[in-house]
Amino acid sequence: MKEGRSGAILGLVFFLAIIVVFAFASGALFIVDETQQVVITQFGKPVGKPITSAGLHFKTPFIQQAHYFERRLLEWDGDPNQIPTKDKKYIWVDTTARWKIVDALKFLQSMGNELSANSKLNDIINSATRDAVTGKLLVEAVRDSNRILDSKDVVEDAIVSEEALERIDIGRQQLTRSILEKAKVLAPQYGIEIMDVRIKRINYVEEVRNKVYDRMIAERKRAAEKYRSEGFGKAAEIEGQIGKELKLITSEAYRQAQSIVGKADAEAINIYAGSYSQNPEFYAFLKTLETYKGTIDEKSTVILTTDSDYYKYLKALDK
């Protein structure tokens, strides 16, 4: 009897399993993940409201179809667009955005799938970006504040571009918000909501880029000339200070030398005076010899008279 009951239970389980498999195979049962939402259509027309609750759900097999859509944030990444700014400078603007499907039924009716939605977002966001950028100066698209102008800590000789010195009314962050606000106006009619728009990159077009590079080179050359001029001025200042100090040192040394020479001369005069007072004849003899040494050499010819002092001493030496 137990064997019969077990067999009945197994048969029931097997029967239920067959029913479940048939239900899934026929499409009567379907599972909705918590990251998904589903719209049921019957012969191509929506039936009921979108299903957003996760779990097991039922539908009429064969005649009804489940269309799955994401509930999570989706990414849109557009192609760079060439846009002129208010000051007539052409730039490449590359944007990205985050969006989600907020009304699956409207999304299915207007877009159908995410590929079509991305194509529509190209039109919406690119148009909003163009409207926002063309009405603003280039500096407002690349800079976010007036920190460079307002900061008291900026080095005086820091090299900044002419654009960096322009005061802006709005910055890049506000420009991005402006793009988001413009894009949000058109998105709801397609069952989607644009959550965020960001400018990934801004580049100059080739012609403008070359002009910018030339200006940057000129700025760096001007800075180099400024530093070089300051260096030459500093070098001249140092050399002048060195010359001044050298003259002071030389003048002081000359003064001390002249003082020593004067003292030496005075001392020599005293010595000569003392020696002259003790032996005038010997002093006269020495002075005469010094005169000989300074005036006569081996090539000199001297004619002396008999009463000359030179002759007198030479005659005395001859004896």
Side-chain angles (χ1 to χ4, degrees):
M1 190 168 181
K2 290 182 179 179
E3 293 179 356
R5 184 178 298 174
S6 300
I9 293 174
L10 290 174
L12 180 61
V13 170
F14 181 73
F15 178 72
L16 292 175
I18 292 176
I19 293 177
V20 171
V21 171
F22 177 77
F24 275 106
S26 63
L29 288 176
F30 63 95
I31 298 174
V32 178
D33 189 82
E34 59 186 5
T35 63
Q36 298 173 323
Q37 51 188 327
V38 174
V39 175
I40 303 299
T41 59
Q42 181 173 312
F43 302 116
K45 296 182 178 180
V47 177
K49 296 181 178 180
I51 300 172
T52 57
S53 58
L56 189 64
H57 296 270
F58 297 90
K59 65 179 179 64
T60 304
F62 304 114
I63 63 174
Q64 290 185 342
Q65 184 178 0
H67 301 269
Y68 290 83
F69 300 102
E70 279 282 354
R71 294 179 61 189
R72 296 173 293 184
L73 287 177
L74 300 170
E75 178 182 1
W76 173 85
D77 193 4
D79 297 324
N81 289 309
Q82 182 175 318
I83 304 175
T85 61
K86 186 177 181 180
D87 44 353
K88 307 303 180 184
K89 294 179 180 178
Y90 284 84
I91 55 176
W92 289 101
V93 182
D94 191 3
T95 54
T96 186
R98 299 291 182 271
W99 63 283
K100 67 177 181 178
I101 302 171
V102 294
D103 189 336
L105 179 57
K106 187 179 291 185
F107 181 81
L108 175 65
Q109 293 172 332
S110 59
M111 295 287 97
N113 53 54
E114 293 179 11
L115 183 62
S116 299
N118 278 310
S119 178
K120 179 59 67 175
L121 285 172
N122 286 338
D123 298 335
I124 294 174
I125 298 177
N126 288 340
S127 176
T129 302
R130 183 174 294 275
D131 290 343
V133 172
T134 53
K136 302 296 182 296
L137 299 175
L138 173 63
V139 65
E140 294 178 317
V142 299
R143 212 175 74 214
D144 196 42
S145 69
N146 292 309
R147 180 180 57 83
I148 296 177
L149 299 178
D150 297 335
S151 176
K152 297 180 180 179
D153 300 328
V154 177
V155 181
E156 293 182 357
D157 57 355
I159 302 302
V160 293
S161 65
E162 295 176 0
E163 293 162 350
L165 298 177
E166 297 179 16
R167 185 168 292 276
I168 61 174
D169 296 325
I170 69 170
R172 182 166 176 170
Q173 187 174 0
Q174 294 185 24
L175 179 66
T176 303
R177 285 201 294 266
S178 174
I179 296 173
L180 178 60
E181 291 171 0
K182 291 177 182 293
K184 273 190 169 184
V185 174
L186 298 176
Q189 61 182 309
Y190 304 107
I192 63 179
E193 181 181 359
I194 301 175
M195 308 302 296
D196 188 26
V197 175
R198 296 288 177 180
I199 297 177
K200 292 196 303 181
R201 183 172 58 251
I202 292 179
N203 283 335
Y204 292 104
V205 298
E206 187 66 25
E207 181 181 356
V208 177
R209 187 185 303 123
N210 291 334
K211 292 181 180 179
V212 172
Y213 289 161
D214 291 341
R215 187 176 62 197
M216 291 172 65
I217 292 172
E219 287 178 350
R220 297 311 182 270
K221 286 183 176 179
R222 185 170 65 248
E225 288 298 328
K226 179 181 178 182
Y227 293 140
R228 189 176 294 113
S229 176
E230 291 177 353
F232 287 151
K234 194 65 176 179
E237 180 182 346
I238 294 173
E239 290 176 355
Q241 185 66 24
I242 292 173
K244 180 180 178 181
E245 293 177 359
L246 181 60
K247 288 181 179 180
L248 289 175
I249 294 171
T250 304
S251 176
E252 181 64 20
Y254 180 76
R255 186 187 65 78
Q256 293 180 6
Q258 290 299 110
S259 176
I260 294 171
V261 170
K263 291 179 180 179
D265 288 343
E267 187 175 351
I269 291 172
N270 289 332
I271 294 172
Y272 284 137
S275 63
Y276 178 76
S277 63
Q278 293 177 8
N279 193 341
E281 186 66 23
F282 178 71
Y283 177 77
F285 174 71
L286 289 178
K287 296 302 291 184
T288 302
L289 291 180
E290 289 180 1
T291 305
Y292 289 165
K293 183 179 179 180
T295 57
I296 301 174
D297 58 16
E298 60 184 6
K299 297 181 180 180
S300 300
T301 301
V302 181
I303 300 174
L304 302 174
T305 61
T306 56
D307 57 349
S308 171
D309 289 339
Y310 279 180
Y311 182 77
K312 180 178 64 173
Y313 286 115
L314 287 175
K315 186 177 180 179
L317 290 174
D318 191 29
K319 293 179 178 180

